[in-house]
Amino acid sequence: MKVPIEVVAIDCLMVRLFEVIDQANMPWMLAAVARLREHFASTLIDLVPSYTTLMVHYDLTQLNPNQARELIHAALTDLAPDPHANGTHHVLPVWYDPSVGPELSLLAKRSGLSVREVIACHSQREYQVFALGFAPGFAFMGLVEEIIAAPRLNTPRKRVAAGSVGIAERQTAAYPVVSPGGWNLIGRTPSLLFDRQREGYSLMQPGDSVSFASIDHAEFIRLGGDDTPLTGQA
């Protein structure tokens, strides 16, 4: 598999595996991750997969850039997905409500659907975790139905509550920690998405799949959810 390799930093190379975002990419991405870990062994510092690219951070004291490129090409030769390599499936309970999802009604209006139909559209689909980034444990997932896709807010919020579930374009995600954010918020999950006591810290990893399960307010509170309202651009 001959792929373009771009320089990111003196000790980082970006492998461009694909040109377009597609759920079918992930088995190939996971196979590439496994092969690169095997070939780089102790010289590897980190691998960061994304929708179409894979960043390789290597130890410059053990490899020079040309050697790193050679290892990448060797690792990707005759690459094929492993049919037995399946990620973990997660079910995240979500309380869909305008008090914690201020854009829920807006998405309904934009799409021509009822609020109930927007919730069903979002929760009745299985999503692929493509990448982690932006904040610790923040999993970029896709792809949502086009009818409920929406651009990011023109003005990001200064504070988004942990657990907030949102949509940006055809991506969906749940904020693992309190942070700024510009996604369209439609609900909140009580699930602990980032935990320093957990191996790997993040609940979800690239290659995992996720389903959202609609729950009522009582169940949300029973599961430890914080129902403090979030409105407007606060």
Side-chain angles (χ1 to χ4, degrees), residues 18 21-29 81 128 130:
F18 306 99
I21 296 173
D22 193 314
Q23 287 177 288
N25 294 350
M26 188 51 63
W28 293 88
M29 188 69 73
Q128 183 85 59
F130 286 99

Side-chain angles (χ1 to χ4, degrees), residues 86-168:
N86 295 317
T88 302
H89 181 69
H90 307 274
V91 178
L92 300 185
V94 179
W95 177 41
Y96 294 93
D97 190 85
S99 67
V100 292
E103 279 72 59
L104 183 59
S105 298
L106 177 62
L107 291 190
K109 183 177 180 180
R110 285 172 57 99
S111 64
L113 302 174
S114 67
V115 167
R116 185 182 297 273
E117 288 172 326
V118 170
I119 294 170
C121 194
H122 184 261
S123 62
Q124 293 176 5
R125 190 177 179 91
E126 186 173 301
Y127 301 98
Q128 183 85 59
V129 177
F130 286 99
L132 299 180
F134 169 64
F138 190 99
F140 290 87
M141 295 175 269
L143 300 165
V144 302
E145 296 280 3
E146 289 188 15
I147 194 170
I148 60 170
R152 288 175 171 83
L153 303 179
N154 290 329
T155 304
R157 290 184 170 85
K158 295 179 181 178
R159 186 183 187 280
V160 174
S164 295
V165 175
I167 291 173

Side-chain angles (χ1 to χ4, degrees), residues 182-200:
W183 290 43
N184 299 274
L185 304 183
I186 59 175
R188 193 175 294 172
T189 178
S191 298
L192 184 61
L193 305 173
F194 179 79
D195 184 357
R196 294 183 185 277
Q197 305 304 315
R198 178 190 292 131
E199 183 178 355

